[in-house]
Amino acid sequence: MKDKILNWVNTILVADFFLVILGFGWFAVAVVGDASGINLGLDLWHKLWQPLFNPAIGLLMGGALISGISGWVAKKFGKN
């Protein structure tokens, strides 16, 4: 059961990682487009920052911390 839960958590974290990377790529392209005078969705990205990308980054950071701490605890108190 523990392995299934960890597998689901890792799958969600991987998907979240790619969402964050996609958001960063979109932001970079939109900023360059905005500087060139081409509308590539920077305003839409700003509208999605608070409800989508900000929580995704927080989830990714929290998941990385929890994963690291759980691995450390398992190694420290597990079988020698």
Coordinates of all heavy atoms in Angstrom, one line a residue:
M1 N 0.8 -1.2 0.0 CA 0.0 0.0 0.0 C 0.9 1.3 0.0 O 0.6 2.2 -0.7 CB -0.9 0.0 1.2 CG -1.9 1.1 1.3 SD -3.1 1.0 0.0 CE -4.1 2.3 0.4
K2 N 1.9 1.2 0.8 CA 2.8 2.4 0.9 C 3.5 2.6 -0.5 O 3.6 3.8 -0.9 CB 3.9 2.1 2.0 CG 4.9 3.2 2.1 CD 6.0 2.8 3.1 CE 7.1 3.8 3.0 NZ 8.3 3.4 3.7
D3 N 3.8 1.6 -1.2 CA 4.5 1.7 -2.5 C 3.5 2.3 -3.5 O 3.9 3.1 -4.3 CB 5.0 0.4 -3.0 CG 6.2 -0.1 -2.1 OD1 6.9 0.7 -1.6 OD2 6.4 -1.4 -2.1
K4 N 2.3 1.9 -3.4 CA 1.3 2.5 -4.4 C 1.1 4.0 -4.1 O 1.0 4.8 -5.1 CB -0.1 1.8 -4.3 CG -0.2 0.5 -5.0 CD -1.6 0.0 -5.0 CE -1.7 -1.2 -5.9 NZ -3.1 -1.7 -6.0
I5 N 1.0 4.4 -2.9 CA 0.9 5.8 -2.5 C 2.1 6.6 -3.0 O 1.9 7.7 -3.6 CB 0.6 6.0 -1.0 CG1 -0.8 5.4 -0.7 CG2 0.7 7.4 -0.6 CD1 -1.0 5.3 0.8
L6 N 3.3 6.1 -2.7 CA 4.5 6.8 -3.1 C 4.6 6.9 -4.7 O 5.0 7.9 -5.2 CB 5.7 6.1 -2.6 CG 6.0 6.3 -1.1 CD1 7.2 5.5 -0.6 CD2 6.1 7.8 -0.8
N7 N 4.1 5.8 -5.3 CA 4.1 5.8 -6.8 C 3.2 6.9 -7.3 O 3.5 7.7 -8.3 CB 3.7 4.5 -7.3 CG 3.9 4.4 -8.8 OD1 4.7 5.1 -9.4 ND2 3.2 3.4 -9.5
W8 N 2.0 7.0 -6.7 CA 1.0 8.1 -7.1 C 1.6 9.5 -6.8 O 1.4 10.4 -7.7 CB -0.3 7.9 -6.4 CG -1.2 6.9 -7.2 CD1 -1.5 5.7 -6.8 CD2 -1.9 7.2 -8.4 NE1 -2.3 5.1 -7.7 CE2 -2.6 6.0 -8.7 CE3 -2.1 8.3 -9.2 CZ2 -3.4 5.9 -9.8 CZ3 -2.9 8.2 -10.3 CH2 -3.5 7.0 -10.6
V9 N 2.2 9.7 -5.7 CA 2.8 11.0 -5.3 C 3.9 11.3 -6.3 O 3.9 12.5 -6.8 CB 3.3 10.9 -3.9 CG1 4.1 12.2 -3.6 CG2 2.1 10.9 -2.9
N10 N 4.7 10.4 -6.6 CA 5.8 10.6 -7.6 C 5.3 11.0 -9.0 O 5.8 11.8 -9.7 CB 6.8 9.4 -7.7 CG 7.6 9.4 -6.4 OD1 7.9 10.4 -5.8 ND2 8.1 8.2 -6.1
T11 N 4.2 10.3 -9.4 CA 3.6 10.6 -10.7 C 3.0 12.0 -10.7 O 3.2 12.7 -11.7 CB 2.5 9.5 -11.0 OG1 3.0 8.2 -11.0 CG2 1.8 9.8 -12.4
I12 N 2.3 12.4 -9.7 CA 1.8 13.7 -9.6 C 2.9 14.8 -9.6 O 2.8 15.8 -10.2 CB 0.9 13.9 -8.3 CG1 -0.4 13.0 -8.5 CG2 0.5 15.3 -8.0 CD1 -1.2 12.9 -7.3
L13 N 4.0 14.5 -8.9 CA 5.1 15.4 -8.8 C 5.8 15.6 -10.2 O 6.2 16.7 -10.6 CB 6.1 15.0 -7.8 CG 5.7 15.3 -6.3 CD1 6.7 14.7 -5.4 CD2 5.4 16.7 -6.1
V14 N 5.9 14.5 -10.9 CA 6.5 14.6 -12.3 C 5.6 15.4 -13.2 O 6.1 16.2 -13.9 CB 6.7 13.1 -12.8 CG1 7.0 13.2 -14.3 CG2 7.8 12.5 -12.1
A15 N 4.3 15.1 -13.1 CA 3.4 15.9 -14.0 C 3.4 17.4 -13.6 O 3.4 18.3 -14.4 CB 1.9 15.4 -13.8
D16 N 3.5 17.7 -12.3 CA 3.6 19.0 -11.8 C 4.9 19.7 -12.2 O 4.9 20.9 -12.6 CB 3.5 19.0 -10.3 CG 3.4 20.4 -9.7 OD1 2.5 21.2 -10.2 OD2 4.1 20.7 -8.7
F17 N 5.9 18.9 -12.2 CA 7.2 19.5 -12.7 C 7.1 19.9 -14.2 O 7.6 21.0 -14.5 CB 8.3 18.4 -12.6 CG 9.6 18.8 -13.2 CD1 10.5 19.7 -12.6 CD2 10.0 18.2 -14.4 CE1 11.7 20.1 -13.1 CE2 11.2 18.6 -15.0 CZ 12.1 19.5 -14.4
F18 N 6.5 19.1 -15.0 CA 6.4 19.5 -16.4 C 5.4 20.7 -16.6 O 5.6 21.5 -17.5 CB 5.9 18.3 -17.3 CG 7.1 17.3 -17.5 CD1 7.1 16.1 -16.9 CD2 8.1 17.7 -18.3 CE1 8.2 15.2 -17.2 CE2 9.2 16.8 -18.6 CZ 9.2 15.6 -18.0
L19 N 4.4 20.8 -15.7 CA 3.5 22.0 -15.8 C 4.3 23.2 -15.5 O 4.2 24.2 -16.1 CB 2.4 21.8 -14.8 CG 1.5 23.0 -14.7 CD1 0.7 23.2 -16.0 CD2 0.5 22.8 -13.5
V20 N 5.2 23.1 -14.5 CA 6.0 24.3 -14.1 C 7.0 24.7 -15.2 O 7.1 25.8 -15.5 CB 6.7 24.0 -12.7 CG1 7.8 25.1 -12.5 CG2 5.7 24.0 -11.6
I21 N 7.6 23.7 -15.8 CA 8.5 23.9 -16.9 C 7.8 24.5 -18.1 O 8.3 25.4 -18.7 CB 9.3 22.6 -17.3 CG1 10.2 22.2 -16.2 CG2 10.1 22.8 -18.6 CD1 11.3 23.1 -15.8
L22 N 6.6 24.0 -18.4 CA 5.8 24.5 -19.5 C 5.4 26.0 -19.2 O 5.5 26.8 -20.1 CB 4.6 23.7 -19.7 CG 3.6 24.2 -20.8 CD1 4.1 23.9 -22.1 CD2 2.2 23.5 -20.6
G23 N 5.1 26.3 -18.0 CA 4.7 27.6 -17.6 C 5.9 28.6 -17.7 O 5.8 29.7 -18.2
F24 N 7.1 28.1 -17.3 CA 8.3 29.0 -17.5 C 8.6 29.2 -18.9 O 8.9 30.3 -19.3 CB 9.5 28.3 -16.8 CG 10.8 29.0 -17.0 CD1 11.0 30.3 -16.4 CD2 11.7 28.5 -17.9 CE1 12.1 31.0 -16.7 CE2 12.9 29.2 -18.1 CZ 13.1 30.5 -17.5
G25 N 8.5 28.2 -19.8 CA 8.7 28.3 -21.2 C 7.8 29.3 -21.8 O 8.2 30.2 -22.6
W26 N 6.5 29.2 -21.5 CA 5.5 30.1 -22.0 C 5.8 31.5 -21.5 O 5.7 32.5 -22.3 CB 4.1 29.7 -21.5 CG 3.0 30.5 -21.9 CD1 3.0 31.5 -22.9 CD2 1.7 30.5 -21.4 NE1 1.7 32.1 -23.0 CE2 0.9 31.5 -22.0 CE3 1.0 29.7 -20.4 CZ2 -0.4 31.7 -21.8 CZ3 -0.3 30.0 -20.1 CH2 -1.0 30.9 -20.8
F27 N 6.2 31.7 -20.3 CA 6.5 33.0 -19.8 C 7.7 33.6 -20.5 O 7.7 34.8 -20.9 CB 6.8 33.0 -18.3 CG 7.3 34.3 -17.7 CD1 6.4 35.3 -17.5 CD2 8.6 34.5 -17.3 CE1 6.8 36.5 -17.0 CE2 9.0 35.7 -16.8 CZ 8.1 36.7 -16.6
A28 N 8.7 32.8 -20.7 CA 9.9 33.3 -21.4 C 9.6 33.8 -22.9 O 10.0 34.8 -23.3 CB 11.0 32.3 -21.4
V29 N 8.8 32.9 -23.6 CA 8.5 33.3 -24.9 C 7.6 34.5 -25.0 O 7.7 35.4 -25.8 CB 7.8 32.0 -25.6 CG1 7.2 32.4 -26.9 CG2 8.8 30.9 -25.8
A30 N 6.6 34.6 -24.0 CA 5.7 35.7 -24.0 C 6.4 37.0 -23.7 O 6.0 38.1 -24.2 CB 4.6 35.4 -23.0
V31 N 7.4 37.0 -22.8 CA 8.2 38.2 -22.5 C 9.0 38.7 -23.7 O 9.0 39.9 -24.0 CB 9.1 37.9 -21.3 CG1 10.1 39.0 -21.1 CG2 8.3 37.8 -20.0
V32 N 9.6 37.7 -24.4 CA 10.3 38.1 -25.6 C 9.3 38.7 -26.7 O 9.6 39.7 -27.4 CB 11.1 36.9 -26.2 CG1 11.7 37.2 -27.6 CG2 12.2 36.5 -25.2
G33 N 8.2 38.0 -26.8 CA 7.2 38.5 -27.8 C 6.7 39.9 -27.4 O 6.5 40.7 -28.2
D34 N 6.5 40.1 -26.1 CA 6.0 41.4 -25.6 C 7.0 42.5 -25.9 O 6.7 43.6 -26.3 CB 5.7 41.3 -24.1 CG 4.9 42.6 -23.6 OD1 3.9 42.9 -24.3 OD2 5.4 43.2 -22.6
A35 N 8.3 42.2 -25.7 CA 9.4 43.1 -26.0 C 9.4 43.4 -27.5 O 9.8 44.5 -27.9 CB 10.7 42.6 -25.5
S36 N 9.1 42.5 -28.3 CA 9.1 42.7 -29.8 C 7.8 43.3 -30.3 O 7.7 43.6 -31.5 CB 9.3 41.3 -30.5 OG 10.5 40.7 -30.0
G37 N 6.8 43.4 -29.4 CA 5.5 44.0 -29.8 C 4.5 43.0 -30.3 O 3.5 43.4 -31.0
I38 N 4.8 41.7 -30.1 CA 3.9 40.6 -30.6 C 3.2 40.1 -29.3 O 3.8 39.8 -28.3 CB 4.7 39.5 -31.2 CG1 5.5 40.1 -32.4 CG2 3.8 38.4 -31.7 CD1 6.6 39.1 -33.0
N39 N 1.9 39.9 -29.4 CA 1.1 39.4 -28.3 C 1.2 37.9 -28.4 O 0.6 37.2 -29.2 CB -0.3 39.9 -28.4 CG -1.1 39.4 -27.2 OD1 -0.6 38.9 -26.2 ND2 -2.4 39.6 -27.3
L40 N 1.9 37.3 -27.4 CA 2.0 35.8 -27.3 C 1.4 35.3 -26.0 O 1.7 34.2 -25.5 CB 3.5 35.4 -27.4 CG 4.1 35.7 -28.7 CD1 5.6 35.3 -28.7 CD2 3.4 34.9 -29.8
G41 N 0.5 36.1 -25.4 CA -0.2 35.6 -24.2 C 0.3 35.9 -22.9 O 0.1 35.2 -21.9
L42 N 1.1 37.0 -22.8 CA 1.6 37.4 -21.5 C 0.5 37.8 -20.5 O 0.6 37.5 -19.3 CB 2.7 38.5 -21.7 CG 3.4 39.0 -20.4 CD1 4.2 37.8 -19.8 CD2 4.4 40.1 -20.7
D43 N -0.5 38.5 -21.0 CA -1.6 38.9 -20.2 C -2.3 37.7 -19.6 O -2.7 37.7 -18.4 CB -2.6 39.8 -20.9 CG -2.0 41.2 -21.3 OD1 -1.0 41.6 -20.5 OD2 -2.4 41.8 -22.3
L44 N -2.6 36.7 -20.5 CA -3.2 35.5 -20.0 C -2.3 34.7 -19.0 O -2.8 34.2 -18.0 CB -3.5 34.5 -21.2 CG -4.1 33.2 -20.9 CD1 -5.5 33.4 -20.1 CD2 -4.3 32.4 -22.1
W45 N -1.0 34.7 -19.2 CA -0.1 34.1 -18.3 C -0.2 34.8 -16.9 O -0.2 34.1 -15.9 CB 1.3 34.1 -18.8 CG 2.3 33.3 -18.0 CD1 2.6 32.0 -18.2 CD2 3.0 33.7 -16.8 NE1 3.5 31.6 -17.2 CE2 3.7 32.6 -16.4 CE3 3.1 34.9 -16.1 CZ2 4.5 32.7 -15.2 CZ3 3.9 35.0 -15.0 CH2 4.6 33.9 -14.6
H46 N -0.2 36.1 -16.9 CA -0.4 36.8 -15.7 C -1.7 36.5 -14.9 O -1.7 36.4 -13.7 CB -0.3 38.4 -15.9 CG 1.1 38.9 -16.0 ND1 2.0 38.9 -15.0 CD2 1.7 39.4 -17.1 CE1 3.1 39.4 -15.4 NE2 3.0 39.7 -16.7
K47 N -2.7 36.3 -15.7 CA -4.0 35.9 -15.1 C -4.0 34.5 -14.5 O -4.7 34.2 -13.5 CB -5.2 36.0 -16.1 CG -5.5 37.4 -16.5 CD -6.6 37.5 -17.5 CE -6.9 38.9 -18.0 NZ -7.8 38.9 -19.0
L48 N -3.2 33.6 -15.1 CA -3.1 32.3 -14.6 C -2.0 32.1 -13.5 O -1.9 31.0 -12.9 CB -2.8 31.3 -15.8 CG -3.9 31.1 -16.8 CD1 -3.4 30.3 -17.9 CD2 -5.1 30.5 -16.1
W49 N -1.2 33.1 -13.3 CA -0.1 33.0 -12.3 C -0.6 32.6 -10.9 O -0.2 31.6 -10.4 CB 0.7 34.3 -12.3 CG 1.6 34.3 -11.1 CD1 1.5 35.1 -10.0 CD2 2.8 33.6 -10.9 NE1 2.6 34.8 -9.1 CE2 3.4 33.9 -9.7 CE3 3.5 32.6 -11.7 CZ2 4.6 33.3 -9.2 CZ3 4.6 32.0 -11.2 CH2 5.2 32.4 -10.0
Q50 N -1.6 33.4 -10.4 CA -2.0 33.2 -9.0 C -2.8 31.9 -8.9 O -2.6 31.1 -8.0 CB -2.9 34.3 -8.6 CG -3.1 34.4 -7.1 CD -1.8 34.6 -6.3 OE1 -0.8 35.2 -6.8 NE2 -1.8 34.2 -5.1
P51 N -3.8 31.5 -9.8 CA -4.6 30.3 -9.5 C -3.9 29.0 -10.0 O -4.3 27.9 -9.6 CB -5.9 30.6 -10.3 CG -5.5 31.5 -11.4 CD -4.4 32.4 -10.8
L52 N -2.9 29.1 -10.9 CA -2.4 27.8 -11.5 C -0.9 27.7 -11.2 O -0.5 26.7 -10.6 CB -2.6 27.8 -13.0 CG -2.1 26.6 -13.7 CD1 -2.8 25.3 -13.3 CD2 -2.2 26.8 -15.2
F53 N 0.0 28.6 -11.7 CA 1.4 28.4 -11.6 C 2.0 28.6 -10.2 O 2.9 27.8 -9.8 CB 2.1 29.3 -12.6 CG 1.8 29.0 -14.0 CD1 1.2 30.0 -14.8 CD2 2.1 27.8 -14.6 CE1 0.8 29.7 -16.1 CE2 1.7 27.5 -15.9 CZ 1.1 28.5 -16.6
N54 N 1.5 29.5 -9.4 CA 2.0 29.7 -8.1 C 1.7 28.5 -7.2 O 2.6 28.0 -6.5 CB 1.3 31.0 -7.5 CG 2.1 31.5 -6.3 OD1 3.1 31.0 -5.9 ND2 1.6 32.6 -5.8
P55 N 0.5 27.9 -7.1 CA 0.3 26.7 -6.4 C 1.1 25.5 -6.9 O 1.5 24.6 -6.2 CB -1.2 26.4 -6.5 CG -1.8 27.7 -6.8 CD -0.8 28.4 -7.6
A56 N 1.3 25.4 -8.2 CA 2.1 24.3 -8.8 C 3.5 24.4 -8.4 O 4.1 23.3 -8.0 CB 2.0 24.4 -10.3
I57 N 4.1 25.6 -8.3 CA 5.4 25.7 -7.8 C 5.5 25.3 -6.3 O 6.4 24.6 -5.9 CB 6.0 27.1 -8.0 CG1 6.1 27.4 -9.5 CG2 7.3 27.4 -7.3 CD1 6.4 28.8 -9.9
G58 N 4.5 25.8 -5.5 CA 4.5 25.4 -4.1 C 4.4 23.9 -3.9 O 5.0 23.4 -3.0
L59 N 3.5 23.3 -4.7 CA 3.3 21.8 -4.6 C 4.6 21.1 -4.9 O 5.0 20.1 -4.3 CB 2.2 21.4 -5.5 CG 1.9 19.9 -5.5 CD1 1.3 19.5 -4.2 CD2 0.9 19.6 -6.6
L60 N 5.3 21.6 -6.0 CA 6.6 21.0 -6.4 C 7.6 21.1 -5.3 O 8.3 20.1 -4.9 CB 7.0 21.6 -7.7 CG 8.3 21.0 -8.3 CD1 8.0 19.6 -8.7 CD2 8.7 21.8 -9.5
M61 N 7.7 22.3 -4.7 CA 8.7 22.5 -3.6 C 8.4 21.7 -2.4 O 9.2 21.0 -1.8 CB 8.8 24.0 -3.3 CG 9.5 24.8 -4.4 SD 9.4 26.6 -4.2 CE 9.4 26.9 -2.5
G62 N 7.1 21.7 -2.0 CA 6.7 20.9 -0.8 C 6.8 19.4 -1.1 O 7.3 18.7 -0.2
G63 N 6.5 18.9 -2.2 CA 6.7 17.5 -2.6 C 8.1 17.1 -2.5 O 8.5 16.0 -2.1
A64 N 9.0 18.0 -3.0 CA 10.4 17.6 -3.0 C 10.9 17.6 -1.6 O 11.7 16.7 -1.3 CB 11.2 18.7 -3.8
L65 N 10.5 18.5 -0.7 CA 10.9 18.4 0.7 C 10.4 17.2 1.4 O 11.2 16.5 2.1 CB 10.4 19.7 1.4 CG 11.2 21.0 1.1 CD1 10.5 22.2 1.7 CD2 12.6 20.9 1.5
I66 N 9.1 16.9 1.2 CA 8.6 15.7 1.8 C 9.2 14.4 1.3 O 9.5 13.5 2.1 CB 7.0 15.7 1.7 CG1 6.4 16.8 2.5 CG2 6.4 14.3 2.0 CD1 5.0 17.0 2.2
S67 N 9.5 14.4 0.0 CA 10.1 13.2 -0.5 C 11.5 13.0 0.0 O 11.9 11.9 0.4 CB 10.1 13.3 -2.1 OG 10.8 12.2 -2.6
G68 N 12.2 14.1 0.1 CA 13.6 14.0 0.6 C 13.6 13.6 2.1 O 14.4 12.8 2.5
I69 N 12.7 14.2 2.9 CA 12.7 13.9 4.3 C 12.2 12.5 4.5 O 12.8 11.8 5.4 CB 11.7 14.9 5.0 CG1 12.4 16.3 5.1 CG2 11.4 14.5 6.4 CD1 11.5 17.4 5.5
S70 N 11.3 12.0 3.8 CA 10.8 10.6 4.0 C 11.9 9.7 3.6 O 12.1 8.6 4.2 CB 9.5 10.4 3.2 OG 9.8 10.4 1.8
G71 N 12.7 10.0 2.5 CA 13.8 9.1 2.2 C 14.9 9.1 3.2 O 15.4 8.0 3.5
W72 N 15.1 10.2 3.8 CA 16.1 10.3 4.9 C 15.7 9.6 6.1 O 16.5 8.8 6.7 CB 16.4 11.8 5.2 CG 17.4 12.0 6.3 CD1 18.7 11.9 6.2 CD2 17.1 12.2 7.7 NE1 19.3 12.1 7.4 CE2 18.3 12.3 8.4 CE3 15.9 12.4 8.4 CZ2 18.4 12.5 9.7 CZ3 16.0 12.6 9.7 CH2 17.2 12.7 10.4
V73 N 14.4 9.7 6.5 CA 13.9 9.0 7.6 C 13.9 7.5 7.4 O 14.3 6.7 8.3 CB 12.5 9.5 8.0 CG1 11.8 8.5 9.0 CG2 12.5 10.9 8.5
A74 N 13.5 7.1 6.2 CA 13.5 5.6 5.9 C 15.0 5.1 5.9 O 15.2 3.9 6.4 CB 12.9 5.4 4.5
K75 N 15.9 5.8 5.4 CA 17.3 5.4 5.4 C 17.8 5.4 6.9 O 18.6 4.4 7.3 CB 18.2 6.3 4.6 CG 19.6 5.8 4.5 CD 20.5 6.9 3.9 CE 20.5 6.8 2.4 NZ 21.5 7.7 1.8
K76 N 17.5 6.4 7.6 CA 18.0 6.5 9.0 C 17.5 5.4 9.9 O 18.2 4.9 10.7 CB 17.7 7.9 9.6 CG 18.1 8.2 10.9 CD 19.5 8.9 10.9 CE 19.8 9.3 12.3 NZ 21.2 9.7 12.4
F77 N 16.2 5.2 9.9 CA 15.5 4.2 10.8 C 15.2 2.9 10.2 O 14.5 2.1 10.8 CB 14.3 4.9 11.4 CG 14.6 6.1 12.2 CD1 14.2 7.4 11.7 CD2 15.3 6.1 13.4 CE1 14.4 8.5 12.4 CE2 15.6 7.2 14.1 CZ 15.1 8.4 13.6
G78 N 15.5 2.7 8.9 CA 15.2 1.5 8.2 C 16.2 0.4 8.6 O 17.0 0.5 9.5
K79 N 16.1 -0.7 7.9 CA 17.0 -1.8 8.2 C 18.4 -1.5 7.8 O 18.7 -0.8 6.8 CB 16.6 -3.1 7.4 CG 15.2 -3.6 7.8 CD 14.9 -4.8 6.9 CE 13.5 -5.3 7.4 NZ 13.1 -6.4 6.5
N80 N 19.4 -1.9 8.6 CA 20.8 -1.6 8.3 C 21.4 -2.5 7.3 O 21.2 -3.6 7.1 CB 21.6 -1.7 9.6 CG 21.3 -0.6 10.6 OD1 20.8 0.4 10.1 ND2 21.5 -0.8 11.8

